[in-house]
Amino acid sequence: LGLSAPSQDGAGVAIGQLVLAALLVVVIAVEWRRRPRVGEPPRPPRFMRVLEGGGPGRAFLIGIALIVLNAKDGALTVAAGAKLAEESPGLLPAIVCVALFTVVASITMIAPVVTDLVMGERATPHLRRAHAWLERHGQEAVLVTLAIIVVVLVVQAVPHL
């Protein structure tokens, strides 16, 4: 978790982390209440309907919008940036950290593409099963991930207050 001794200038970052954690709790509560109940069919995300009638340009723009507006990605990015700012490791270590963060953050998008490229048609049943699972449980997985981020933000912030 990168817990370290409290610093004098870390109070501002800590308050920011706690505000972000509180906002995420609100997002989690709202989205948890909106999720389909047992026995209800999963609701596809709204962006999927928009994608159906468009070409690659529309898909690219929607992808960029989803990255920018994604609460999980935004929270992770803000938390990582706050931690990096708090530690101020220097230029080269910061570049390495940002590169590693980018690779790890992109794995869930890159893995299906690489799997399809490497395995070809053999990947299809595996990717379909993963798609079906994500369609049914993806929202809960994101909410659990957000809850973990909330805990990490709070644990990192409290020693700096």
mmCIF file of all heavy atoms in Angstrom, residues 87-117:
data_model
loop_
_atom_site.group_PDB
_atom_site.id
_atom_site.type_symbol
_atom_site.label_atom_id
_atom_site.label_comp_id
_atom_site.label_asym_id
_atom_site.label_seq_id
_atom_site.Cartn_x
_atom_site.Cartn_y
_atom_site.Cartn_z
ATOM 1 N N GLU A 87 5.497 10.959 -3.041
ATOM 2 C CA GLU A 87 6.828 10.354 -2.945
ATOM 3 C C GLU A 87 7.888 11.149 -3.694
ATOM 4 O O GLU A 87 9.065 11.046 -3.364
ATOM 5 C CB GLU A 87 6.794 8.920 -3.491
ATOM 6 C CG GLU A 87 5.888 7.981 -2.722
ATOM 7 C CD GLU A 87 6.348 7.750 -1.291
ATOM 8 O OE1 GLU A 87 7.570 7.754 -1.035
ATOM 9 O OE2 GLU A 87 5.480 7.575 -0.426
ATOM 10 N N SER A 88 7.497 11.914 -4.719
ATOM 11 C CA SER A 88 8.387 12.679 -5.605
ATOM 12 C C SER A 88 9.701 11.940 -5.864
ATOM 13 O O SER A 88 10.762 12.343 -5.402
ATOM 14 C CB SER A 88 8.630 14.086 -5.067
ATOM 15 O OG SER A 88 9.141 14.061 -3.762
ATOM 16 N N PRO A 89 9.635 10.864 -6.653
ATOM 17 C CA PRO A 89 10.803 10.007 -6.826
ATOM 18 C C PRO A 89 11.866 10.534 -7.789
ATOM 19 O O PRO A 89 12.932 9.960 -7.894
ATOM 20 C CB PRO A 89 10.190 8.728 -7.402
ATOM 21 C CG PRO A 89 9.012 9.200 -8.170
ATOM 22 C CD PRO A 89 8.482 10.375 -7.373
ATOM 23 N N GLY A 90 11.608 11.577 -8.520
ATOM 24 C CA GLY A 90 12.539 12.035 -9.540
ATOM 25 C C GLY A 90 11.995 11.682 -10.915
ATOM 26 O O GLY A 90 11.071 10.873 -11.051
ATOM 27 N N LEU A 91 12.583 12.259 -11.954
ATOM 28 C CA LEU A 91 12.024 12.132 -13.290
ATOM 29 C C LEU A 91 12.047 10.704 -13.827
ATOM 30 O O LEU A 91 11.012 10.174 -14.242
ATOM 31 C CB LEU A 91 12.762 13.064 -14.268
ATOM 32 C CG LEU A 91 12.240 13.049 -15.702
ATOM 33 C CD1 LEU A 91 10.779 13.486 -15.739
ATOM 34 C CD2 LEU A 91 13.090 13.935 -16.584
ATOM 35 N N LEU A 92 13.201 10.052 -13.837
ATOM 36 C CA LEU A 92 13.281 8.709 -14.424
ATOM 37 C C LEU A 92 12.419 7.694 -13.670
ATOM 38 O O LEU A 92 11.632 6.969 -14.303
ATOM 39 C CB LEU A 92 14.734 8.233 -14.507
ATOM 40 C CG LEU A 92 14.934 6.887 -15.200
ATOM 41 C CD1 LEU A 92 14.399 6.931 -16.629
ATOM 42 C CD2 LEU A 92 16.406 6.511 -15.197
ATOM 43 N N PRO A 93 12.490 7.616 -12.332
ATOM 44 C CA PRO A 93 11.594 6.689 -11.635
ATOM 45 C C PRO A 93 10.112 7.017 -11.855
ATOM 46 O O PRO A 93 9.285 6.117 -11.952
ATOM 47 C CB PRO A 93 11.978 6.840 -10.156
ATOM 48 C CG PRO A 93 13.369 7.354 -10.179
ATOM 49 C CD PRO A 93 13.460 8.204 -11.412
ATOM 50 N N ALA A 94 9.782 8.301 -11.978
ATOM 51 C CA ALA A 94 8.393 8.682 -12.228
ATOM 52 C C ALA A 94 7.947 8.194 -13.601
ATOM 53 O O ALA A 94 6.833 7.685 -13.762
ATOM 54 C CB ALA A 94 8.232 10.196 -12.119
ATOM 55 N N ILE A 95 8.819 8.327 -14.596
ATOM 56 C CA ILE A 95 8.494 7.845 -15.947
ATOM 57 C C ILE A 95 8.290 6.336 -15.934
ATOM 58 O O ILE A 95 7.341 5.821 -16.536
ATOM 59 C CB ILE A 95 9.593 8.253 -16.950
ATOM 60 C CG1 ILE A 95 9.550 9.762 -17.172
ATOM 61 C CG2 ILE A 95 9.442 7.498 -18.276
ATOM 62 C CD1 ILE A 95 10.719 10.306 -17.977
ATOM 63 N N VAL A 96 9.142 5.612 -15.223
ATOM 64 C CA VAL A 96 9.002 4.149 -15.117
ATOM 65 C C VAL A 96 7.690 3.802 -14.427
ATOM 66 O O VAL A 96 6.956 2.910 -14.873
ATOM 67 C CB VAL A 96 10.215 3.529 -14.376
ATOM 68 C CG1 VAL A 96 9.974 2.065 -14.058
ATOM 69 C CG2 VAL A 96 11.485 3.701 -15.203
ATOM 70 N N CYS A 97 7.352 4.508 -13.352
ATOM 71 C CA CYS A 97 6.093 4.260 -12.634
ATOM 72 C C CYS A 97 4.887 4.508 -13.535
ATOM 73 O O CYS A 97 3.953 3.703 -13.561
ATOM 74 C CB CYS A 97 6.001 5.146 -11.397
ATOM 75 S SG CYS A 97 7.086 4.646 -10.059
ATOM 76 N N VAL A 98 4.892 5.602 -14.268
ATOM 77 C CA VAL A 98 3.770 5.922 -15.156
ATOM 78 C C VAL A 98 3.663 4.872 -16.265
ATOM 79 O O VAL A 98 2.559 4.424 -16.603
ATOM 80 C CB VAL A 98 3.915 7.346 -15.736
ATOM 81 C CG1 VAL A 98 2.925 7.589 -16.861
ATOM 82 C CG2 VAL A 98 3.748 8.390 -14.636
ATOM 83 N N ALA A 99 4.803 4.440 -16.810
ATOM 84 C CA ALA A 99 4.782 3.417 -17.860
ATOM 85 C C ALA A 99 4.222 2.099 -17.317
ATOM 86 O O ALA A 99 3.371 1.465 -17.957
ATOM 87 C CB ALA A 99 6.188 3.214 -18.426
ATOM 88 N N LEU A 100 4.675 1.684 -16.139
ATOM 89 C CA LEU A 100 4.166 0.441 -15.536
ATOM 90 C C LEU A 100 2.673 0.561 -15.225
ATOM 91 O O LEU A 100 1.904 -0.367 -15.475
ATOM 92 C CB LEU A 100 4.947 0.097 -14.273
ATOM 93 C CG LEU A 100 6.351 -0.450 -14.496
ATOM 94 C CD1 LEU A 100 7.095 -0.556 -13.162
ATOM 95 C CD2 LEU A 100 6.305 -1.794 -15.187
ATOM 96 N N PHE A 101 2.261 1.691 -14.693
ATOM 97 C CA PHE A 101 0.846 1.912 -14.393
ATOM 98 C C PHE A 101 0.011 1.810 -15.670
ATOM 99 O O PHE A 101 -1.049 1.181 -15.683
ATOM 100 C CB PHE A 101 0.660 3.293 -13.744
ATOM 101 C CG PHE A 101 -0.776 3.634 -13.469
ATOM 102 C CD1 PHE A 101 -1.397 3.170 -12.322
ATOM 103 C CD2 PHE A 101 -1.514 4.397 -14.361
ATOM 104 C CE1 PHE A 101 -2.722 3.465 -12.058
ATOM 105 C CE2 PHE A 101 -2.843 4.698 -14.110
ATOM 106 C CZ PHE A 101 -3.447 4.234 -12.953
ATOM 107 N N THR A 102 0.493 2.415 -16.743
ATOM 108 C CA THR A 102 -0.229 2.384 -18.015
ATOM 109 C C THR A 102 -0.367 0.964 -18.544
ATOM 110 O O THR A 102 -1.443 0.561 -18.998
ATOM 111 C CB THR A 102 0.481 3.285 -19.048
ATOM 112 O OG1 THR A 102 0.577 4.608 -18.508
ATOM 113 C CG2 THR A 102 -0.255 3.313 -20.364
ATOM 114 N N VAL A 103 0.711 0.190 -18.465
ATOM 115 C CA VAL A 103 0.663 -1.200 -18.938
ATOM 116 C C VAL A 103 -0.327 -2.006 -18.098
ATOM 117 O O VAL A 103 -1.192 -2.708 -18.635
ATOM 118 C CB VAL A 103 2.066 -1.841 -18.905
ATOM 119 C CG1 VAL A 103 1.990 -3.343 -19.121
ATOM 120 C CG2 VAL A 103 2.962 -1.207 -19.958
ATOM 121 N N VAL A 104 -0.226 -1.906 -16.793
ATOM 122 C CA VAL A 104 -1.127 -2.664 -15.919
ATOM 123 C C VAL A 104 -2.578 -2.223 -16.128
ATOM 124 O O VAL A 104 -3.482 -3.060 -16.214
ATOM 125 C CB VAL A 104 -0.708 -2.520 -14.438
ATOM 126 C CG1 VAL A 104 -1.752 -3.099 -13.505
ATOM 127 C CG2 VAL A 104 0.640 -3.193 -14.204
ATOM 128 N N ALA A 105 -2.813 -0.916 -16.255
ATOM 129 C CA ALA A 105 -4.174 -0.412 -16.454
ATOM 130 C C ALA A 105 -4.756 -0.848 -17.794
ATOM 131 O O ALA A 105 -5.969 -0.961 -17.939
ATOM 132 C CB ALA A 105 -4.179 1.112 -16.360
ATOM 133 N N SER A 106 -3.903 -1.117 -18.766
ATOM 134 C CA SER A 106 -4.363 -1.488 -20.105
ATOM 135 C C SER A 106 -4.504 -2.986 -20.314
ATOM 136 O O SER A 106 -5.033 -3.413 -21.342
ATOM 137 C CB SER A 106 -3.382 -0.937 -21.146
ATOM 138 O OG SER A 106 -3.246 0.450 -21.013
ATOM 139 N N ILE A 107 -4.045 -3.791 -19.384
ATOM 140 C CA ILE A 107 -4.026 -5.240 -19.586
ATOM 141 C C ILE A 107 -5.414 -5.800 -19.885
ATOM 142 O O ILE A 107 -5.557 -6.660 -20.750
ATOM 143 C CB ILE A 107 -3.373 -5.944 -18.379
ATOM 144 C CG1 ILE A 107 -1.865 -5.777 -18.484
ATOM 145 C CG2 ILE A 107 -3.743 -7.413 -18.308
ATOM 146 C CD1 ILE A 107 -1.083 -6.337 -17.332
ATOM 147 N N THR A 108 -6.438 -5.298 -19.212
ATOM 148 C CA THR A 108 -7.779 -5.853 -19.442
ATOM 149 C C THR A 108 -8.303 -5.547 -20.838
ATOM 150 O O THR A 108 -9.181 -6.248 -21.331
ATOM 151 C CB THR A 108 -8.796 -5.343 -18.397
ATOM 152 O OG1 THR A 108 -8.832 -3.918 -18.454
ATOM 153 C CG2 THR A 108 -8.429 -5.818 -17.008
ATOM 154 N N MET A 109 -7.769 -4.528 -21.477
ATOM 155 C CA MET A 109 -8.165 -4.241 -22.857
ATOM 156 C C MET A 109 -7.262 -4.964 -23.845
ATOM 157 O O MET A 109 -7.704 -5.366 -24.916
ATOM 158 C CB MET A 109 -8.113 -2.729 -23.111
ATOM 159 C CG MET A 109 -9.131 -1.956 -22.313
ATOM 160 S SD MET A 109 -9.031 -0.189 -22.587
ATOM 161 C CE MET A 109 -7.507 0.224 -21.773
ATOM 162 N N ILE A 110 -6.009 -5.102 -23.487
ATOM 163 C CA ILE A 110 -5.039 -5.704 -24.400
ATOM 164 C C ILE A 110 -5.148 -7.230 -24.406
ATOM 165 O O ILE A 110 -5.005 -7.858 -25.461
ATOM 166 C CB ILE A 110 -3.605 -5.267 -24.011
ATOM 167 C CG1 ILE A 110 -3.461 -3.750 -24.220
ATOM 168 C CG2 ILE A 110 -2.562 -6.023 -24.797
ATOM 169 C CD1 ILE A 110 -2.188 -3.185 -23.631
ATOM 170 N N ALA A 111 -5.425 -7.838 -23.268
ATOM 171 C CA ALA A 111 -5.420 -9.305 -23.155
ATOM 172 C C ALA A 111 -6.360 -9.995 -24.143
ATOM 173 O O ALA A 111 -5.935 -10.951 -24.810
ATOM 174 C CB ALA A 111 -5.729 -9.735 -21.724
ATOM 175 N N PRO A 112 -7.621 -9.567 -24.296
ATOM 176 C CA PRO A 112 -8.482 -10.253 -25.274
ATOM 177 C C PRO A 112 -7.973 -10.127 -26.712
ATOM 178 O O PRO A 112 -8.061 -11.077 -27.492
ATOM 179 C CB PRO A 112 -9.835 -9.557 -25.125
ATOM 180 C CG PRO A 112 -9.797 -8.910 -23.797
ATOM 181 C CD PRO A 112 -8.366 -8.583 -23.521
ATOM 182 N N VAL A 113 -7.425 -8.969 -27.049
ATOM 183 C CA VAL A 113 -6.907 -8.780 -28.405
ATOM 184 C C VAL A 113 -5.713 -9.688 -28.646
ATOM 185 O O VAL A 113 -5.631 -10.380 -29.674
ATOM 186 C CB VAL A 113 -6.523 -7.291 -28.638
ATOM 187 C CG1 VAL A 113 -5.850 -7.103 -29.988
ATOM 188 C CG2 VAL A 113 -7.752 -6.409 -28.509
ATOM 189 N N VAL A 114 -4.786 -9.721 -27.692
ATOM 190 C CA VAL A 114 -3.608 -10.580 -27.833
ATOM 191 C C VAL A 114 -4.024 -12.052 -27.853
ATOM 192 O O VAL A 114 -3.512 -12.843 -28.658
ATOM 193 C CB VAL A 114 -2.585 -10.301 -26.702
ATOM 194 C CG1 VAL A 114 -1.465 -11.333 -26.688
ATOM 195 C CG2 VAL A 114 -2.023 -8.897 -26.848
ATOM 196 N N THR A 115 -4.975 -12.420 -26.999
ATOM 197 C CA THR A 115 -5.458 -13.810 -26.987
ATOM 198 C C THR A 115 -6.017 -14.191 -28.347
ATOM 199 O O THR A 115 -5.719 -15.270 -28.875
ATOM 200 C CB THR A 115 -6.544 -13.981 -25.896
ATOM 201 O OG1 THR A 115 -5.980 -13.647 -24.630
ATOM 202 C CG2 THR A 115 -7.070 -15.406 -25.863
ATOM 203 N N ASP A 116 -6.810 -13.306 -28.931
ATOM 204 C CA ASP A 116 -7.381 -13.590 -30.247
ATOM 205 C C ASP A 116 -6.293 -13.678 -31.309
ATOM 206 O O ASP A 116 -6.327 -14.570 -32.174
ATOM 207 C CB ASP A 116 -8.403 -12.513 -30.617
ATOM 208 C CG ASP A 116 -9.140 -12.841 -31.891
ATOM 209 O OD1 ASP A 116 -9.734 -13.937 -31.967
ATOM 210 O OD2 ASP A 116 -9.113 -12.013 -32.822
ATOM 211 N N LEU A 117 -5.321 -12.784 -31.260
ATOM 212 C CA LEU A 117 -4.242 -12.809 -32.250
ATOM 213 C C LEU A 117 -3.388 -14.068 -32.126
ATOM 214 O O LEU A 117 -3.001 -14.662 -33.127
ATOM 215 C CB LEU A 117 -3.359 -11.571 -32.107
ATOM 216 C CG LEU A 117 -3.983 -10.246 -32.532
ATOM 217 C CD1 LEU A 117 -3.072 -9.082 -32.166
ATOM 218 C CD2 LEU A 117 -4.284 -10.250 -34.024
#
